[in-house]
Amino acid sequence: MTPSALAPKADTTRPRQSRNRKDVLGLVGTGDVVQPNLLQSLQKLARAGFRVHQAAPAHWIIRGSTPLPEFHCYGEQELRQFTVNKT
């Protein structure tokens, strides 16, 4: 097989957007998605098996059933985007 035959096919269903190293969760370009309010986000994460700890007024730490990995969301908008993308 040639190396090109082994390369994975590109995802052509979504427009390609440049990713920022700070956008580890891949939240860039999710602004057009209908997002739940904060309470709905927290409930949806809980139903999906995530534990959410509010560390500061605009800082949430999200964990699954194990201590790692943990995801830090800064602001309600980022928490809602995480909920839409990960659950």
Side-chain angles (χ1 to χ4, degrees):
M1 279 189 152
T2 63
S4 61
L6 298 175
K9 292 183 180 180
D11 181 11
T12 57
T13 58
R14 299 181 91 192
R16 179 130 175 101
Q17 297 182 0
S18 62
R19 289 194 53 188
N20 184 321
R21 293 176 81 183
K22 293 180 181 179
D23 186 27
V24 183
L25 302 176
L27 301 177
V28 169
T30 59
D32 57 340
V33 177
V34 176
Q35 298 178 356
N37 64 38
L38 181 60
L39 179 59
Q40 291 170 333
S41 295
L42 295 173
Q43 291 171 339
K44 188 172 182 180
L45 288 169
R47 283 191 304 271
F50 290 100
R51 291 175 294 150
V52 181
H53 169 71
Q54 188 169 3
H59 178 201
W60 290 269
I61 301 171
I62 304 169
R63 293 184 179 106
S65 59
T66 59
L68 292 176
E70 66 181 26
F71 304 97
H72 292 254
C73 293
Y74 299 93
E76 290 183 26
Q77 178 72 17
E78 193 170 303
L79 180 69
R80 288 191 301 261
Q81 288 176 333
F82 178 89
T83 303
V84 169
N85 288 338
K86 300 298 180 187
T87 57

